[in-house]
Structure formats: structure tokens, C-alpha cells
Amino acid sequence: MVCEMETDQIEEMDVEVLPSMWPENVGTEADKQFNVEKPAGDLDTLKEVTIEETPTIADLTRLPELMNSTQQGSSQLTNLVKQWEYMQDNAVRLLREELKNLNRQREEAEAKELKIIEEYKFESNEPENVPVLDETSDLFRRFRQKKRDALVDSKKIEIYEEFDTVAYWKQKASNLEKMLEASTERERRLVEKLSESLKTMESQSAPVQELTQNLKRAEGFLHFILQNAPIVMGHQDKDLRYLFIYNKYPSLREQDILGKTDVEIFHGGGVKESQDFKREVLEKGKASKREITFTTDLFGSKTFLIYVEPVYNKAGEKIGINYMGMEVTEQVDKREKMAKLREDNAVRKAMESELNKTIHITEETMRAKQMLATMSHEIRSPLSGVVGMAEILSTTKLDKEQRQLLNVMISSGDLVLQLINDILDLSKVESGVMRLEATKFRPREVVKHVLQTAAASLKKSLTLEGNIADDVPIEVVGDVLRIRQILTNLISNAIKFTHEGNVGIKLQVISEPSFARDNALTADTEEQEQNENAIPCLFKKYMQASADHARKYGGTGLGLAICKQLVELMGGQLTVTSRVNEGSTFTFILPYKVGTSDDYSDDQDEFSDMADHQSEPDDTAEGYFQFKPLLGSIYSNGGPGIGNDFLPHKVMLTSPIKLINGFVADPSNNTGQSEMLQLENGGYVDESKLETSSDHCPESAHQYENGNGRCFSKESESCSSSQASSEGGTLEMESELTVSSHREEEKAETDLKETSKPKILLVEDNKINIMVAKSMMKQLGHTMDIANNGVEAITAINHSSYDLVLMDVCMPVLDGLKATRLIRSYEETGNWNAAIEAGVDIKTSETEQVCVRSTNRLPIIAMTANTLAESSEECYANGMDSFISKPVTLQKLRECLQQYLH
Amino acid sequence: MLGLGVDRLQADINRLLASLFHQGVLDEQFLQLQQLQDETSPNFVYDVINIYFDESEKLLRNLRLLLMDREFSDYKKIGLHLNQLVGSSSSIGARRVRNVCVAFRSASELSNRPGCLRGLEVVEHEYHYLKNMMHELFQLEQQRILAAGVRYPM
């Protein structure tokens, strides 16, 4: 009972803590459902219910029907019934509690009565003065008194008469009677109260009243909330016809809307969309929201946020939709404005950063240009010295070959000078400040020189062709330096990107109507294997076809950009046509003027740097040039040779040979051959030949030395490519067969000559060490061959005899110790069987030749790097004669040579 | 560029070389290299050092690639690369590079991956230091040659 009381209290407290906004007289638990703070239950259904009584358009007759037929309607009703039942339960519970209270009171009253009677008995049986007046009895009495007070509300019976007299008893009886009366009266009052409260309970809990009250409250609430809300609510049936609608600001009358669809009511943008949206929701059966902009005659352009949910009947079938719309035009406007602002902001920021970047890049470029200009300037001064000296040299007495060499040297120098000037002037070209010169020049010579220069540095098996039409004048007026530059650029590009075949220049005169009185000169350069997809960016500065290309071919990427700008500056145009695997043709058309014939004789001196007229008198009319690759042909022929009577590598099938390529005829070319030899012999350089040949012409030999070094590092690559290139053309083969026979003889000669000098072989894989050792040997007056590993060393020893071998211990493929063992075994047995077993490829036919020489023990000196693996004991154990610890010094080398070379 | 600072440049070069020797970056082998340079090969030192840098760059790149590989286990290959590097470094007299390479190599022989990584770091550091120094040296040298080459008409 106490427990129940407590829960009751708690429930009441709940209501106090969370005061509802409903009137206080209906503060039952069920009302908490409508508490704003505690939204619970089916709010939507309530709204629907209240629509019935809103002062707006509604189909009142249809609504109850709807309420009855739809699931939501029925759930609404069951909800109300539940509420009512709950309230009834509550009332019953309250009544029960009341009853219990009354019962308890009655029980108390009865208990009191009983006490009174007991007291009476007690008092009668045990008079008060029986115990002795001591403290304990007094205490006991007081305690009893207290106990009685607690039970019977301290209602003491006051008796004034003497104890145990008649009057006393009378008075006591009358007193008790009074108390009994009071008690009865109280009981009666309580019963009355009970019946009264029962009555009020009954009157309050009439279900209809309760419901009506609830509905009224809900309606009041909804009305309060919705009275100014810009909301349109409605219900549409399956065909999307309005069954009822709530609109605070109705612009249409009820009959205009009800029973019609959106499309029937409105016209304009968005209506169809909303209709479709509603249909979609109806079909999908899933409530959703969408923003739709209406542009109707009725209310102009407005954006509505529309919420549509499907409505089901009790059987779960869709019977229509509930629709709720709110105008959000302003919000949408604001939002869009915000988005636009944000977008603008982002764009501005991006532009800003882009601008910053550009500024940065521009600054960088400026700096780079500045640096380039300074650098170019620095290069220009010494270079002009070189060219000047060469020019002075050309005035001295020279033989024909020297003169030709010098000519090429000067024109190349000129070109470099010019290129540097161009780098300096590039900005000028771009801003159109570049000045063009108008001088007379001979196009044939220009073409020839360009090709000649290109051929001089050609490292591939390409044929360079110059083809000049007969009607091209001997002299034209133009800026020869620029034209040369363009041609050189195009040709060098062509060579760079062509792997085999022809590269050529064709020069012809075309009549171009747009050039009025001028004729136009076209020059085509052809090249192979231009990558087609790279064409759009060909003419961009510093742009290369791809990162791969840059790595593969190198270069600045400036060439074509300069060409194009130069051609355009001269009033011409540069175009390119290209097909993958078939080649590209760069064509440029330039207007030109013909030089008058009077000038011809005067100008001879002017062009003396380009062509020596005395030595090549017919050159001016020459229409066809061809330059064969020097290296390529040597590659294909193999054997070494000192080519004083070296055949020029020219096959002139179409026109008579009038021009002899100085480079081909020059003996200094043997430097190129020694590279070749190294390839033929499996990778070691015959240094002695390099030396002897360069004695002839120190300058040119020096010029080649750089190239030599480069070729060196690419040995293995060039070896394979040379084989490929030798298969290239069939035409060349005939002429070269004869050449190779010459060489065979010469090889024997050179071999004989060189036996007098001690031959040293260095077996070493580290390029640096090779370079250093070679240089040291040179200082000591010796030359040596190089092998890069044990296998190469064995091959070299097999090919020719050596007086001393310097052997690195740590090497790839075959290390020094093993190689030495194999060599020793060869010396003992006279055959290479051990080496062949070890996997070294040796040609047996040649072995027999050299076999005779291998009687002496070949001194092999180890070069160790002082690591544990390379102990001196091990060197000796493997048949080495001595060892030099690395790094090799001049002193050590000298001592070693003194000991082993006699 | 007027050819007036030849002596000063030479002094700078000597100072730089002295400090490099003092630091142990270079050793006497570098002097050997310089001795080899004569009229027939005026750029010998420069060429050798350049090739050395090209090669070493490749080797270091390979080493880094090898070591960066998670699945890496080819310590033998590392050893080969390092042998090359040790060999060429000692040939040009790059003592410090050589020494750190030797340490690196012993780490690789023990298959000690953290040791290898540390070794690589140190080698790279030393290598770059050497490269910078050499660059400076050659620049000075070049300036000196240019300055020495200037002649004024009497």
C-alpha cells in the first residue's frame, strides 16, 4: 500500500516537473502524449483529425469516410480508444486507492476503538496507583502514555470525578459515548465523500466527452501552431485528385481544388514535376521530400519544399498520398546566392593562386633567362676566339683535307656561336625584335654543309641525302645563318629520332601566289619514326614528346620552337606531316629573292668559309649529296685497319661523285675504328692503334677522344645496334666488301708491327679504375687493352698474346681468380677445355693459331682491394704472380712493370 | 673575367684542397690523379671525377632501390655494388666515401638491414658532400684557367 502511494506521488511529480501546455484540468497521464516536450504517438494523425474543424476548405463529408477507410484513420481511432481505456484504468486505480485509504482510516478508527476499550479494561483492572511511586513505574507510565498518544491523537479522556465512584463511571461512559459518536460521524462523512468522488469519477470519464476534449485541445494546438505557417497540406487520392486541402492563404475556392489534380488546377513550370513526384512516391510507397519551383500564373515563381507520403488503407493498399508544401523561395534564393558567392570566392582564390604561380614561374623564367644569357655570353667570348683562330688558320697554307676539316670546323663553330646568340636573342624573337640579315648565299652549299656537319657527328647507320632541284638558283638572298640554323636543327632532330633509313633535305622552288613576285623556296627534311601523337607539342619551347623521350634522347627541346619562330619571322611557314613507322616530313616555305648575277663574282670571298671553290669548282651546281654513316659501315665490316687508302663511304648512284667527304678520307678516322675493333674483339680497346692514328692529326684525334669515352660506356648497347644496322641497306654492301678485304691484309701488318712493344691487358670492371690505370700507363709510356671481366680477358688472351695481365679480383661474370685458373690451365694443357667447361665461349679455330705462342707463363698480377675475400695467399694459390693493392698508384705500377716487363 | 685573380683563385683552390685533406674527405690518391693530368689530357681529373659521379649516382640509386624493397634479401648484389663503389672511390682518393662504404659493406655481409639502411644514409651524405666540394673545386679551377688564359696586348 505504501508502495502504491509512492508511485502515485512520483507520477504526480512527473507532471509537475514537465508541465504540459494543456489546461490543468485534464492533467492525466494520457495527455503526456501531446506534450511538446515529450512528443509521442501519432502526431500526424492528430493533425488530420483536426483538419476537420479548421476554418478552411475541407471536404467534411469525405473526411470521416477517409478516416474510416484509411489505415491512418483507423489507427487514429484505436489510439483514441486506447487513450480512453487508459484513462479509465487510471480512474479505476484512483478509486481503488481512495477506497483503500478509506479502509485504512476505518481500520484505524476501529483500532482506536479497541484501544479505548482496552484502556478501559486496563484502567479498571489495574488502577493507577497500584505501582509504588518510584521512578521506574513513572517511566513506564509515561512510556505507555506516549504510546497511547501516538495511537489515539492524544485524545485523553478527561475525568474529573473521583475514581471508582458512580459519578466517575457515568462520566466515563458518557465520554466514551461521545467519542463513539464522533467516530461514527467521521465514518459517515467518509462514506459520503467516497460516494461523491465515485460520482465525479463517473461523470468525468464519459468517453465521448473525453475524446472531444482531446480533439479540441489538439485542434487548438494545431490552430495555434498553424495559423500563420506558410504551409499547404492536402490529401490526394490514387489519381492524385485533391480530397481535401488546407491552405492558410487560399487563392482558390474549395470547389476549384477538390476533386481535381494539380495539372488541372495549375498551369506552368513545376506543376508537371510535382505531379510526377507525387506519382513516384505513390508508386514507390516511400515518403520523400523534394524542392520544386513553380512558375504559374496564379502565384508567380515560387519554390516549394514538398513532402509527400503514401497513405494506405486498412488492407495495406495505397489509396492516395498526403501532401505538405512549404514555400522556401527566399531561402532557396539565399542559398543559391550563397553558393554562387562561395563559388565566386573559390574561383577567385584559384585564379589568385594560379596568378601567383604564374608570377612565380615568370620570375623563375626571368632568372633562368638571365642566367642563360650571362652564360651564353661567357661562352661566346672564348668561342669567338676559337673560330677566329680557325679562320686565321684557314689563311695559311693547308692541304685539301686539312682545309676541308677546317671549313667544317669553322662552320660548326659559327653555328655554335649563332646558337648562343639565338639563346640570347630568343626573347627578341618572341617580341619580334630580332633582326634578319639579307645576304646572298648559295643554298646548295648551305645544304651540303649542314649535311656534312651532321655526318661528321653521326653515330648511327643513317644515310644523309641532299637533293636540290635544278631550278633552284645558285644564289639567293636571305638570312643564311638563320636558314642554316633551321636546317641544322631539323636535321639534327631527324637524326636523333631516326633509327635507320634516310634523312634528307630536298630543296625546290615553288611558286606561291601569295608571295606575289617572290618565288618560294621549300626545304623538306625527312625523318623516320616520328611519334605521331607528339605533333601538337612539337613546336613548343622546352617541350619534349614525353619524359621517356627526354631521357632517351636528351636535348633542350628548344630546337623546333626556334625553327618555327625563325621561319615565321622570315615570312614563311613550317609544317609537319608524319606517319608512325613511315617517317615525318618537316616542310618550310620561305620567300626569297634571287641575287643578281653581277654580285656572283664579288661574293666568292664571302663564302670562302663555307666551301673552297678552288678545290671543289663544281660544287656550286651540285644537286645531290649523300653522306654515309662512318661508324655504321665500319661496324658492318668488322676488322681493323689503318685506312690511308680507306675507301670513301659514298655510293653515288644517281649523280657523279664530285664531292669527297673529307672526313671519310681522313686517316684520323681510325679513332672511330679502334672503337670498332674493341667491339669486334669482344670488348677491349686497342689503345695502341688509337695512339698511332692520332699522331697523324692530333687536333681531330683529340676531338674524337671525348666521343670515344662516351662510346666506351655504351659498348654493349652499340654492339647490338651495330649488328642491326649492318643489316640495314643492301646497296652499301657491295662497295664495302672490297674495303674489308683491304683491311684484312692490314690487320696482319699491324699485328706484326706491334709485337715489338710490350702488350699489357687490364682486366677490370670499374670504369674509374680503368681510366686511372690507363692514364698511369700512359704516363709510364705504355698502352694497354681492357677487358671488363674474366670472360673478356680469356677471349682477349685467346686472340692475341700479352706480356702482362693486370687482373682485378672482384669482377662480375667471371672473377679474377677463376679467370687466372683457367688461363693457367690453358698454358698447361694448350687448350681451353677448362674454360669451355666453365661456360666461356671460345672459337676453337682461332685457338689453334695462338696455341703456339702459349708456351711461356703469362705474368698475371692481381689487383686487390684488401678485403678478406681477396687475400694475397688466395691470389698466389690461384696462379697469380704478384699483387698490387688498390688503389693503384704510379709508384706501384712502375715497380710492377719493371719487375715483369723486360 | 679580367684575369686579375689568378693568384687569389689558386690560393682558394689550395685552401679548399687542404681542408678536404684535413677532413679526410680526400687522400693522397687524389694527388696521384692530379699527377696524371698533363698536356695530353688536360681535363683528366675533371673527366675521371665526372665519370665517377655518374657511376656512383647509378650505384647509389640501385642500392636505394634494392634496400627500399620490402621483400629485399639480395645482400650479395648490394655487396657487388658496394665493391664497385669502394673500388672507384679508392681510385679517386675519396677516402671518406670509401670508408663509409666499407662499413656499409660489412653490414651487408652480416645481412643487417637496419645497418645497411644507416650505411646507405651515411654513404649518400658523404657522397653528396664530396660532390659539392668537387663542384666547388672545379668551378674554382675553371675560373682559374679562364683567368690564366686572359692575355692583354702589350
Side-chain angles (χ1 to χ4, degrees):
Chain A
M1 186 158 151
V2 177
C3 185
E4 267 182 69
M5 288 279 280
E6 272 174 7
T7 50
D8 218 25
Q9 270 173 350
I10 285 163
E11 277 163 352
E12 278 169 78
M13 268 170 69
D14 258 359
V15 178
E16 273 169 21
V17 170
L18 299 166
S20 80
M21 54 185 295
W22 309 114
E24 270 185 282
N25 59 341
V26 283
T28 56
E29 260 77 11
D31 281 336
K32 284 184 186 172
Q33 282 193 23
F34 309 106
N35 217 334
V36 179
E37 286 91 338
K38 272 190 176 178
D42 203 343
L43 268 169
D44 293 276
T45 50
L46 251 177
K47 277 180 197 163
E48 272 176 42
V49 175
T50 48
I51 282 162
E52 200 174 7
E53 284 187 17
T54 48
T56 48
I57 310 157
D59 188 347
L60 288 176
T61 51
R62 291 276 297 161
L63 188 60
E65 197 184 311
L66 196 70
M67 296 298 298
N68 291 336
S69 61
T70 62
Q71 217 177 37
Q72 273 148 316
S74 64
S75 75
Q76 161 73 10
L77 284 178
T78 44
N79 197 40
L80 281 173
V81 168
K82 261 185 203 154
Q83 275 175 40
W84 186 77
E85 275 171 2
Y86 183 57
M87 275 160 57
Q88 291 312 307
D89 282 348
N90 206 39
V92 167
R93 195 164 54 87
L94 279 175
L95 279 176
R96 278 204 189 117
E97 271 164 27
E98 193 77 13
L99 203 65
K100 272 175 192 162
N101 262 339
L102 288 172
N103 276 342
R104 196 186 56 198
Q105 274 175 359
R106 202 188 64 215
E107 270 168 36
E108 270 172 26
E110 274 167 9
K112 223 186 271 173
E113 212 169 356
L114 212 68
K115 281 276 153 51
I116 292 164
I117 291 162
E118 265 175 30
E119 201 176 334
Y120 170 73
K121 274 183 187 162
F122 174 76
E123 276 174 1
S124 58
N125 293 340
E126 284 179 76
E128 228 176 334
N129 59 351
V130 170
V132 187
L133 278 169
D134 57 4
E135 279 184 3
T136 46
S137 83
D138 189 41
L139 253 174
F140 173 66
R141 211 171 42 221
R142 256 195 283 169
F143 171 66
R144 214 166 44 187
Q145 182 92 27
K146 222 178 178 177
K147 205 174 151 194
R148 213 188 302 156
D149 283 353
L151 278 170
V152 197
D153 292 67
S154 72
K155 280 185 183 169
K156 240 185 177 176
I157 305 158
E158 302 284 339
I159 299 165
Y160 306 106
E161 291 301 314
E162 205 181 328
F163 182 69
D164 220 7
T165 58
V166 177
Y168 170 83
W169 287 115
K170 242 185 193 169
Q171 202 172 356
K172 183 141 192 175
S174 72
N175 276 347
L176 285 172
E177 205 172 328
K178 267 182 209 162
M179 276 173 73
L180 191 65
E181 251 171 47
S183 170
T184 324
E185 174 62 27
R186 208 159 50 228
E187 200 170 331
R188 195 184 52 78
R189 271 211 309 274
L190 281 173
V191 171
E192 243 171 55
K193 213 174 170 183
L194 182 65
S195 62
E196 199 179 311
S197 70
L198 268 172
K199 242 185 247 166
T200 52
M201 287 285 177
E202 256 167 46
S203 68
Q204 264 183 15
S205 56
V208 181
Q209 251 178 328
E210 194 69 22
L211 281 173
T212 321
Q213 244 169 348
N214 270 347
L215 287 174
K216 269 193 181 145
R217 269 198 317 275
E219 186 232 302
F221 168 66
L222 275 182
H223 191 65
F224 171 73
I225 294 283
L226 292 176
Q227 80 186 339
N228 286 319
I231 286 176
V232 181
M233 288 187 291
H235 175 83
Q236 285 165 291
D237 65 8
K238 261 194 293 194
D239 303 323
L240 296 177
R241 293 181 188 285
Y242 279 95
L243 292 187
F244 63 87
I245 188 160
Y246 165 86
N247 189 354
K248 178 64 194 167
Y249 306 103
S251 47
L252 287 170
R253 277 171 304 151
E254 198 173 327
Q255 58 266 38
D256 291 334
I257 296 175
L258 293 179
K260 290 182 179 169
T261 63
D262 275 328
V263 185
E264 284 163 2
I265 300 163
F266 308 107
H267 298 284
V271 177
K272 187 83 185 34
E273 195 190 342
S274 78
Q275 181 95 355
D276 289 345
F277 174 54
K278 284 170 186 171
R279 189 153 285 138
E280 194 187 307
V281 168
L282 195 62
E283 274 161 19
K284 280 189 181 163
K286 211 171 162 191
S288 64
K289 288 176 210 158
R290 184 177 288 184
E291 241 176 49
I292 295 173
T293 308
F294 292 94
T295 40
T296 59
D297 308 333
L298 205 63
F299 48 78
S301 174
K302 275 182 179 172
T303 307
F304 282 83
L305 179 66
I306 285 168
Y307 168 74
V308 180
E309 63 171 12
V311 180
Y312 300 93
N313 65 9
K314 279 172 193 160
E317 293 158 351
K318 291 170 215 165
I319 56 155
I321 50 148
N322 282 338
Y323 153 80
M324 203 163 168
M326 186 188 261
E327 201 210 313
V328 288
T329 316
E330 274 173 46
Q331 285 74 12
V332 169
D333 275 1
K334 268 182 206 160
R335 199 179 57 205
E336 272 163 14
K337 263 182 209 160
M338 281 298 285
K340 211 174 170 191
L341 272 175
R342 231 170 265 145
E343 201 177 301
D344 283 354
N345 229 10
V347 167
R348 197 163 302 132
K349 253 183 203 161
M351 271 166 66
E352 216 165 274
S353 68
E354 194 65 28
L355 205 66
N356 276 339
K357 230 183 269 169
T358 319
I359 290 170
H360 186 70
I361 289 168
T362 317
E363 277 171 3
E364 285 288 304
T365 318
M366 292 292 282
R367 247 201 303 280
K369 268 186 188 165
Q370 194 68 39
M371 213 197 77
L372 205 62
T374 330
M375 222 173 67
S376 307
H377 190 74
E378 297 290 342
I379 297 168
R380 191 158 57 162
S381 335
L383 190 66
S384 50
V386 171
V387 176
M389 288 305 124
E391 274 164 0
I392 292 166
L393 193 65
S394 72
T395 59
T396 60
K397 208 181 171 188
L398 295 168
D399 64 27
K400 194 178 154 191
E401 283 162 6
Q402 284 171 331
R403 187 167 297 281
Q404 276 179 331
L405 271 177
L406 206 58
N407 284 347
V408 176
M409 184 176 156
I410 290 168
S411 57
S412 302
D414 272 346
L415 191 69
V416 176
L417 214 54
Q418 214 45 56
L419 271 173
I420 290 165
N421 283 341
D422 278 343
I423 295 170
L424 279 167
D425 287 351
L426 192 70
S427 51
K428 281 192 201 164
V429 184
E430 278 167 356
S431 54
V433 188
M434 189 181 231
R435 216 160 37 84
L436 288 174
E437 284 166 39
T439 49
K440 273 180 253 153
F441 68 98
R442 294 176 184 152
R444 282 174 184 77
E445 277 169 20
V446 171
V447 171
K448 194 188 88 187
H449 273 268
V450 166
L451 290 178
Q452 209 171 350
T453 317
S457 54
L458 195 59
K459 291 198 196 70
K460 294 178 183 170
S461 61
L462 292 174
T463 310
L464 305 184
E465 285 178 329
N467 211 334
I468 293 145
D470 294 338
D471 57 345
V472 174
I474 287 168
E475 281 196 343
V476 294
V477 176
D479 192 332
V480 61
L481 285 172
R482 310 283 176 219
I483 289 170
R484 265 190 74 152
Q485 192 186 336
I486 294 163
L487 282 174
T488 311
N489 261 330
L490 292 178
I491 281 292
S492 63
N493 265 339
I495 289 169
K496 212 183 209 177
F497 296 108
T498 309
H499 302 300
E500 54 182 26
N502 297 344
V503 171
I505 301 177
K506 282 181 205 156
L507 195 62
Q508 63 196 71
V509 176
I510 57 161
S511 51
E512 186 93 335
S514 60
F515 288 131
R517 280 160 50 203
D518 293 341
N519 291 312
L521 202 65
T522 73
D524 294 356
T525 63
E526 287 170 22
E527 67 177 69
Q528 303 280 330
E529 284 177 35
Q530 174 69 48
N531 198 352
E532 194 164 37
N533 56 22
I535 287 177
C537 59
L538 274 181
F539 298 114
K540 282 183 192 153
K541 255 193 297 175
Y542 304 111
M543 184 75 88
Q544 293 196 324
S546 67
D548 280 346
H549 272 71
R551 238 172 285 127
K552 197 167 162 191
Y553 300 114
T556 58
L558 204 62
L560 278 176
I562 291 181
C563 284
K564 191 172 158 64
Q565 273 168 340
L566 285 175
V567 170
E568 279 163 7
L569 199 67
M570 292 184 212
Q573 57 195 52
L574 176 61
T575 52
V576 58
T577 54
S578 176
R579 256 177 285 169
V580 173
N581 295 330
E582 283 180 38
S584 308
T585 308
F586 287 82
T587 309
F588 66 93
I589 302 170
L590 292 177
Y592 76 102
K593 284 182 196 146
V594 185
T596 53
S597 52
D598 299 343
D599 296 336
Y600 177 56
S601 53
D602 297 342
D603 280 327
Q604 277 190 349
D605 286 351
E606 209 178 296
F607 293 102
S608 59
D609 60 322
M610 288 182 199
D612 192 332
H613 293 271
Q614 285 183 318
S615 61
E616 296 153 66
D618 294 324
D619 203 26
T620 47
E622 173 78 64
Y624 182 81
F625 320 102
Q626 191 179 42
F627 297 91
K628 280 292 164 83
L630 302 172
L631 296 180
S633 57
I634 296 164
Y635 274 52
S636 53
N637 281 303
I642 292 182
N644 281 327
D645 51 350
F646 198 74
L647 276 189
H649 283 265
K650 292 189 68 184
V651 186
M652 292 292 185
L653 295 175
T654 49
S655 66
I657 307 170
K658 282 169 187 163
L659 169 78
I660 291 169
N661 186 346
F663 274 95
V664 179
D666 199 284
S668 66
N669 253 319
N670 286 325
T671 47
Q673 276 175 41
S674 65
E675 282 170 36
M676 251 349 286
L677 185 67
Q678 143 206 344
L679 290 160
E680 284 299 313
N681 291 353
Y684 64 93
V685 171
D686 192 346
E687 182 67 26
S688 60
K689 282 173 193 162
L690 182 76
E691 289 302 304
T692 50
S693 58
S694 49
D695 284 342
H696 283 279
C697 186
E699 288 134 332
S700 60
H702 180 65
Q703 181 188 343
Y704 270 94
E705 246 165 18
N706 293 333
N708 198 5
R710 248 180 284 133
C711 198
F712 209 102
S713 60
K714 286 175 185 165
E715 259 171 19
S716 52
E717 293 165 37
S718 55
C719 198
S720 57
S721 69
S722 74
Q723 279 167 357
S725 64
S726 67
E727 293 158 14
T730 46
L731 275 178
E732 290 102 293
M733 290 309 284
E734 285 179 57
S735 65
E736 278 152 14
L737 275 173
T738 54
V739 178
S740 59
S741 65
H742 275 280
R743 286 181 193 153
E744 296 275 304
E745 292 160 25
E746 270 149 24
K747 186 189 178 181
E749 279 174 33
T750 50
D751 275 347
L752 281 174
K753 269 184 231 159
E754 281 166 12
T755 41
S756 56
K757 250 189 164 183
K759 283 195 74 176
I760 301 166
L761 177 70
L762 173 67
V763 189
E764 168 70 76
D765 63 321
N766 191 317
K767 272 171 217 158
I768 309 295
N769 294 350
I770 293 172
M771 266 189 95
V772 173
K774 224 162 100 176
S775 179
M776 285 175 173
M777 277 294 180
K778 203 169 119 194
Q779 280 218 333
L780 295 171
H782 294 285
T783 57
M784 52 183 188
D785 293 348
I786 312 290
N788 281 322
N789 55 47
V791 175
E792 284 180 19
I794 288 172
T795 318
I797 289 166
N798 186 27
H799 274 280
S800 64
S801 66
Y802 289 94
D803 300 301
L804 183 65
V805 175
L806 295 170
M807 181 86 78
D808 185 22
V809 175
C810 240
M811 276 184 302
V813 188
L814 183 66
D815 69 31
L817 300 175
K818 277 187 203 142
T820 310
R821 268 208 311 275
L822 293 175
I823 292 164
R824 294 296 179 222
S825 113
Y826 162 66
E827 282 171 349
E828 283 160 21
T829 61
N831 62 54
W832 285 104
N833 291 345
I836 291 161
E837 272 171 42
V840 182
D841 188 25
I842 289 163
K843 288 167 193 159
T844 45
S845 60
E846 288 173 65
T847 326
E848 286 158 19
Q849 292 177 359
V850 196
C851 196
V852 194
R853 294 178 196 161
S854 63
T855 46
N856 293 336
R857 184 181 161 94
L858 173 64
I860 298 177
I861 293 157
M863 294 194 294
T864 64
N866 276 337
T867 59
L868 291 173
E870 300 171 352
S871 68
S872 53
E873 284 83 10
E874 215 173 344
C875 293
Y876 292 127
N878 279 287
M880 286 165 164
D881 297 290
S882 177
F883 74 94
I884 302 177
S885 65
K886 282 184 179 175
V888 182
T889 60
L890 262 178
Q891 186 60 30
K892 288 183 202 162
L893 209 57
R894 190 180 292 125
E895 282 168 10
C896 173
L897 291 183
Q898 274 169 359
Q899 194 183 341
Y900 288 96
L901 292 180
H902 309 291
Chain B
M1 287 274 56
L2 295 172
L4 300 173
V6 184
D7 295 338
R8 189 179 49 80
L9 284 165
Q10 186 60 54
D12 283 350
I13 289 169
N14 290 342
R15 230 188 336 266
L16 180 62
L17 276 176
S19 88
L20 289 179
F21 276 91
H22 183 72
Q23 291 168 32
V25 174
L26 295 177
D27 61 18
E28 26 332 313
Q29 187 67 19
F30 188 77
L31 296 178
Q32 286 270 331
L33 220 58
Q34 286 191 316
Q35 276 176 32
L36 293 174
Q37 184 164 299
D38 54 18
E39 309 84 55
T40 55
S41 51
N43 284 323
F44 180 73
V45 176
Y46 180 77
D47 290 344
V48 170
I49 300 282
N50 256 349
I51 293 176
Y52 168 75
F53 283 135
D54 283 353
E55 291 298 303
S56 307
E57 201 97 42
K58 266 183 241 159
L59 288 170
L60 285 175
R61 199 162 48 233
N62 282 342
L63 282 172
R64 183 155 275 282
L65 275 176
L66 279 170
L67 277 172
M68 285 303 126
D69 189 4
R70 286 248 167 266
E71 314 286 300
F72 159 78
S73 60
D74 196 356
Y75 286 100
K76 209 176 155 204
K77 201 161 182 184
I78 292 219
L80 284 177
H81 282 329
L82 281 171
N83 268 343
Q84 281 269 340
L85 203 56
V86 169
S88 42
S89 300
S90 65
S91 260
I92 65 151
R95 176 189 274 176
R96 256 178 26 193
V97 174
R98 182 192 168 274
N99 287 346
V100 293
C101 278
V102 169
F104 186 0
R105 188 170 59 187
S106 53
S108 83
E109 277 159 5
L110 296 171
S111 302
N112 172 7
R113 191 178 152 95
C116 281
L117 284 169
R118 205 160 40 242
L120 180 63
E121 298 280 327
V122 178
V123 169
E124 276 177 343
H125 174 259
E126 283 302 333
Y127 168 78
H128 284 120
Y129 183 73
L130 177 71
K131 195 170 177 178
N132 286 339
M133 288 300 123
M134 285 293 136
H135 187 69
E136 200 176 327
L137 182 69
F138 288 135
Q139 262 188 339
L140 285 171
E141 192 82 35
Q142 209 169 15
Q143 281 174 27
R144 190 189 63 80
I145 289 165
L146 281 176
V150 174
R151 293 282 178 277
Y152 293 97
M154 298 304 283

